[in-house]
Structures are given as structure tokens and as C-alpha cells.
């Protein structure tokens, strides 16, 4: 690939790069300051004078398969436990073809929102869907997005005192064997990795302590990261106290999970002492503002966490609770929710962008992502400010958040354009919508 100078942006989230950046070999090789010219010889030029340039946004919590259960009537206006109980029987009917449609929609929607790296947490494995993570890996390669595919799991069904029905759980030996298979086949630990694998037992109310401990040991042995839902609802706290005799974080530590290898989704119901323990352990937290508001679960204390030394990222969560896979909109939601909690002086648009970039990179253990700097991976999101909502905006970076950007014009992953002029080259969106809509109706058919 020829070196490219992304030239003279309208705004850029970087210092000493007023004239843009040079990308070569999949990395950022040069920042061009005000009044400067590239030192790199023979560069091609991309005129970015219409664009605000951000580091590629990073989504650290999602459930791709849930794009098939958006706005499901039986799950509307419910809190987490009854919401899950309404949806588990529907998810139990997933097939490989249905999952592929769901995954493709989620990844495409994320790319178009400026997201260049996404984690997914897939934990539903009904009979016939044993190779769900392989389906996701193939879709990511087609779309061109970086992924951390967390091999989720559930082995504590209703008959054993858990929440999920028997039809969507697996036994511990099956889960661990497939986890090892996926790590061996897909996990790339290099800085340029396009696919990585994480291990992700779903939640304290859907897995056994034995599986939690065995998964932590496997992650330690193979060098992959750990992910789970934790401290999302008061019901979860009550479940953990009744079943295990611990609050959720105590239970996590008891199972060997309170480490710098772990990132947790939600983190709403931690107290101040628990936040300090997270910081000492180096455990990260993903804030999911839209989902938390939709399910009325509460609000993650993001500023308290950051002040204590906890790295915080952002996640769109599943489309059945969020009903969208749009990360730049999630940035705005986080900005507004946390500003309402802490005050206008404590939360700026730059804080919210940091959560979706550097904070999210910390969650998934990818320090080479999330910043525009020499040596970083060339993952970029370029937004045009030519829509009516931006008319008259004076600060171009702030405008993305306060005026409500919802779609990137250009997206680059590993130095390659994967979104051009607001479209994904080679992907027929109209055909994808038809396919996905048909899959949704098939899944919901009695």
C-alpha cells in the first residue's frame, strides 16, 4: 500500500497534527504540524478538509445475535431478569444462517458509526449453533473490522437454579474444549491483530463457580482476556448473596477473576471500596449507557472509577436492550448521562471520546489502538459536518458529540478504507436489510 497523507483536516483529535497524518503499512508514521509538510517521500494525498478525524472508536461490549430481537414486544418495558426470560426462548431458535445475518448487520452498523474495533459476547449455543464464533470470525473478515470475539458460556440452567432454559446451555467440558479450539485457531496476539479471542462466562446467574475458575485458569495459561457481566442490577446482587454468600465482586475474586486480564460490562452497583479494589487489580469496566437507561438498571459511576484509577470504556450492548449498534451515538449518550450525574464542569465531550478510544483500548488490552500518534495502528474515523444539525458549529470536534453525529463518512482499518462516502464498498445494504428482516421474522415465527 502507498503511504497516504490525510491532509488538512477540519479538526483532528491529536496534538501537533493540524495538517494531518501520514499512514503507511497499516500504521500511523507521521504527524504533520501546522505549517509543515510530510517528511515521508512519495505520499498520496487524501483531502480531509471536510472531515473531523478521530481515532477509530472501539466497542467493548455487544451481543451481535440480538440484532434479530430489536423492539420485541414481549421484552419491552421490562427490567433485566424478566427481559431475559422473555427472550431466551426466542434465542434458542437461532441457526447458523440467522446468526450470520445478525452478525453482518451489527458489524456494518458499527463500521458506519466510526467503530473500527468491536468486542462481541456470544453466549447462546443451542443445538446446531456450536460454531457460532467461527461464523463471527468469517463475517469480520468479509466486513474488514477488527474483533475481539469473546467465547461466552452458560452452564447453570433453570433446573440447576440459574436463569436460562436448558436448551441454550452447555456442559463445562464442552465449553472449555471449544474455548481452547477457538484460541488455537483464531487468537492473534500481535499488535496488528484483526481477530482475538476472549473467554466470557455470561454472568453469575448463568454459570457455575467451577466454570468461572476453570475459565480463569485457561485464560491465564493461553494469554487471553476475560469478560463477563457484573454489578448490572440489584437483582444480580441479591442472587449472588443468596446462592454464593458473596456480593458480585467478592464472588468474582473468589473465582480468580479480579485481575488485570479482566474487563467487566456495566459495573453499576459497585461501592467505593469495591471501585478501589478494581483499580488495584487493574480490572477495567465497560459503560453501556443506552442499555442501562433502557432497562432502568442504574448508572455506572464513571468519574468515580476514573478518579480511583479504573480504566473505563464504552459498549453499545445488545440490540435487544439498546436497539442500535451505533457507537458515536453511544458516545453522546455517555456524555449526557454522566454529565447529568456529575455536572457540566466535570464531564466534557473529550471525556466521552476518551472512553470510546483510549479507555476502550485498555479494556480489551490493545494499547496500540485508540490514539492518533506515531506507531499506532492506522484505524481512523472521519466525519463530515455538512448535515443541517452541524450548521454554524464552531468547534468541530465538540460538534460531533453535542450536535449528534450518527454516521461516519470515511473509516480506515489497518490502513485500508473500509467505509467510503458513507458506504461499505461491496456490501449491498438494501439486500442485507431484506435478508436480515426475513431472518427476524423466521426467528419470531411460532
Amino acid at each position: 500500500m502507498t503511504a497516504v497523507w490525510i491532509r488538512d483536516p477540519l479538526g483532528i483529535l491529536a496534538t501537533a497534527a493540524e495538517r494531518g497524518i501520514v499512514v503507511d503499512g497499516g500504521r500511523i508514521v507521521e504527524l504533520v504540524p501546522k505549517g509543515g509538510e510530510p517528511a515521508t517521500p512519495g505520499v498520496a494525498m487524501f483531502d480531509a478538509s471536510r472531515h473531523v478525524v478521530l481515532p477509530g472508536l472501539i466497542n467493548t461490549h455487544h451481543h451481535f445475535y440480538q440484532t434479530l430481537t430489536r423492539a420485541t414486544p414481549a421484552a419491552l418495558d421490562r427490567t433485566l431478569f424478566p427481559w431475559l426470560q422473555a427472550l431466551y426462548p426466542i434465542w434458542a431458535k437461532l441457526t447458523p444462517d440467522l446468526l450470520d445475518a445478525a452478525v453482518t448487520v451489527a458489524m456494518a452498523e458499527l463500521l458506519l458509526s466510526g467503530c473500527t474495533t468491536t468486542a462481541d459476547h456470544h453466549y447462546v449455543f443451542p443445538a446446531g449453533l456450536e460454531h457460532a464464533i467461527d461464523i463471527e470470525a468469517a463475517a469480520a473478515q468479509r466486513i474488514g473490522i477488527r474483533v475481539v470475539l469473546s467465547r461466552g458460556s452458560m452452564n447453570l440452567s433453570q433446573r440447576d437454579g440459574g436463569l436460562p432454559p436448558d436448551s441454550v446451555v452447555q456442559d463445562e467440558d464442552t465449553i472449555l474444549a471449544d474455548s481452547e479450539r477457538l484460541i488455537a485457531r483464531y487468537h492473534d496476539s500481535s499488535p496488528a491483530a484483526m481477530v482475538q479471542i476472549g473467554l466470557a462466562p455470561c454472568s453469575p446467574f448463568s454459570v457455575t463457580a467451577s466454570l468461572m475458575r476453570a475459565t480463569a485458569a485457561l485464560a491465564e495459561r493461553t494469554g487471553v482476556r476475560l469478560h463477563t457481566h457484573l454489578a448490572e442490577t440489584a437483582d444480580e446482587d441479591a442472587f449472588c448473596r443468596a446462592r454464593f454468600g458473596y456480593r458480585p465482586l467478592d464472588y468474582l475474586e473468589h473465582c480468580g477473576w479480579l485481575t488485570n486480564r479482566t474487563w467487566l460490562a456495566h459495573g453499576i452497583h459497585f461501592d467505593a471500596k469495591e471501585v478501589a479494589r478494581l483499580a488495584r487489580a487493574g480490572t477495567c469496566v465497560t459503560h453501556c449507557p443506552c442499555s442501562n437507561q433502557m432497562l432502568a438498571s442504574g448508572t455506572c459511576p464513571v468519574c468515580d472509577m476514573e478518579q480511583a484509577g479504573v480504566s473505563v470504556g464504552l459498549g453499545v450492548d445488545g440490540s435487544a436492550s439498546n436497539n442500535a449498534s451505533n457507537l458515536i451515538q453511544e458516545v453522546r449518550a455517555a456524555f449526557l448521562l454522566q454529565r447529568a450525574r456529575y455536572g457540566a464542569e466535570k464531564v466534557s465531550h473529550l471525556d466521552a471520546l476518551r472512553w470510546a478510544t483510549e479507555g476502550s483500548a485498555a479494556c480489551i488490552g490493545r494499547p496500540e489502538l485508540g490514539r492518533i500518534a506515531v506507531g499506532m495502528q492506522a484505524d481512523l474515523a472521519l466525519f463530515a459536518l455538512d448535515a443541517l444539525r452541524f450548521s454554524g458549529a464552531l468547534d468541530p470536534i465538540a460538534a460531533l458529540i453535542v450536535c449528534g453525529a450518527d454516521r461516519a463518512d470515511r473509516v480506515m482499518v489497518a490502513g485500508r478504507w473500509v467505509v467510503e462516502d458513507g458506504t461499505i464498498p461491496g456490501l449491498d445494504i438494501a439486500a442485507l436489510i431484506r435478508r436480515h428482516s426475513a431472518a427476524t421474522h423466521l426467528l419470531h415465527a411460532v
Side-chain angles (χ1 to χ4, degrees), residues 63-423:
H63 309 293
F64 294 157
Y65 73 91
Q66 291 181 11
T67 65
L68 294 170
T69 45
R70 289 170 161 160
T72 299
L76 294 175
D77 306 324
R78 297 192 180 203
T79 55
L80 180 64
F81 278 20
W83 174 84
L84 285 168
Q85 289 165 335
L87 289 171
Y88 277 138
I90 299 172
W91 297 336
K93 297 186 289 182
L94 280 168
T95 67
D97 286 344
L98 297 180
L99 178 64
D100 184 72
V103 167
T104 305
V105 163
M107 290 180 179
E109 190 177 0
L110 285 165
L111 269 187
L112 291 169
S113 73
C115 176
T116 54
T117 301
T118 182
D120 187 58
H121 186 185
H122 186 92
Y123 54 83
V124 176
F125 291 86
L129 199 62
E130 291 81 7
H131 289 82
I133 307 303
D134 302 84
I135 292 169
E136 294 188 331
Q141 185 175 25
R142 291 196 308 269
I143 291 286
I145 193 169
R146 291 189 202 268
V147 288
V148 179
L149 301 175
S150 296
R151 204 297 181 183
S153 54
M154 297 193 296
N155 73 330
L156 187 67
S157 68
Q158 291 171 351
R159 67 184 174 193
D160 301 314
L163 200 66
D166 298 344
S167 59
V168 295
V169 303
Q170 297 175 305
D171 65 76
E172 181 174 316
D173 289 344
T174 298
I175 291 164
L176 294 173
D178 192 51
S179 297
E180 290 211 57
R181 178 187 71 83
L182 291 166
I183 293 166
R185 180 169 182 179
Y186 294 111
H187 184 69
D188 179 357
S189 60
S190 74
M194 291 297 292
V195 180
Q196 292 190 331
I197 298 295
L199 302 180
C202 182
S203 62
F205 49 83
S206 59
V207 300
T208 62
S210 173
L211 179 59
M212 289 288 286
R213 287 190 290 268
T215 301
L218 177 58
E220 178 71 24
R221 177 164 59 83
T222 57
V224 303
R225 293 183 73 77
L226 293 165
H227 183 52
T228 192
H229 301 94
L230 204 76
E232 183 177 2
T233 66
D235 287 342
E236 176 195 316
D237 181 68
F239 180 94
C240 286
R241 288 177 183 271
R243 185 173 181 91
F244 307 117
Y246 296 106
R247 274 176 59 82
L249 189 65
D250 295 325
Y251 175 65
L252 195 78
E253 185 170 27
H254 174 71
C255 293
W257 274 60
L258 194 57
T259 76
N260 61 4
R261 193 180 298 283
T262 301
W263 89 99
L264 306 171
H266 302 296
I268 294 167
H269 296 281
F270 293 131
D271 62 30
K273 290 182 179 179
E274 290 171 331
V275 169
R277 289 166 61 194
L278 291 168
R280 287 195 297 272
T283 301
C284 303
V285 173
T286 292
H287 178 33
C288 303
C290 288
S291 174
N292 296 161
Q293 292 175 90
M294 187 74 72
L295 295 172
S297 300
T299 305
C300 179
V302 171
C303 293
D304 293 340
M305 287 182 173
E306 286 199 312
Q307 187 172 4
V310 178
S311 293
V312 178
L314 284 189
V316 301
D317 203 359
S319 293
S321 54
N322 184 336
N323 293 284
S325 304
N326 190 308
L327 193 50
I328 192 63
Q329 288 187 337
E330 202 75 29
V331 175
R332 188 171 196 262
F335 164 71
L336 294 173
L337 183 62
Q338 296 301 324
R339 179 171 277 206
R341 180 181 180 119
Y342 290 103
E345 300 86 0
K346 296 289 184 66
V347 178
S348 79
H349 64 281
L350 295 176
D351 293 316
L353 285 167
R354 183 182 67 254
W355 301 331
T357 52
E358 293 181 70
S360 284
C363 282
I364 60 172
R366 300 291 302 266
E368 67 279 3
L369 306 177
R371 289 188 299 121
I372 295 175
V374 172
M376 303 293 282
Q377 292 294 303
D379 292 4
L380 304 166
L382 282 65
F383 293 83
L385 301 185
D386 48 12
L388 185 61
R389 69 172 64 89
F390 300 115
S391 179
L394 300 178
D395 183 323
I397 294 175
L400 294 178
I401 311 308
V402 300
C403 300
D406 67 345
R407 190 172 181 122
D409 184 63
R410 285 257 173 170
V411 176
M412 175 179 282
V413 178
R416 304 178 67 91
W417 293 115
V418 293
V419 173
E420 299 179 14
D421 301 323
T423 64

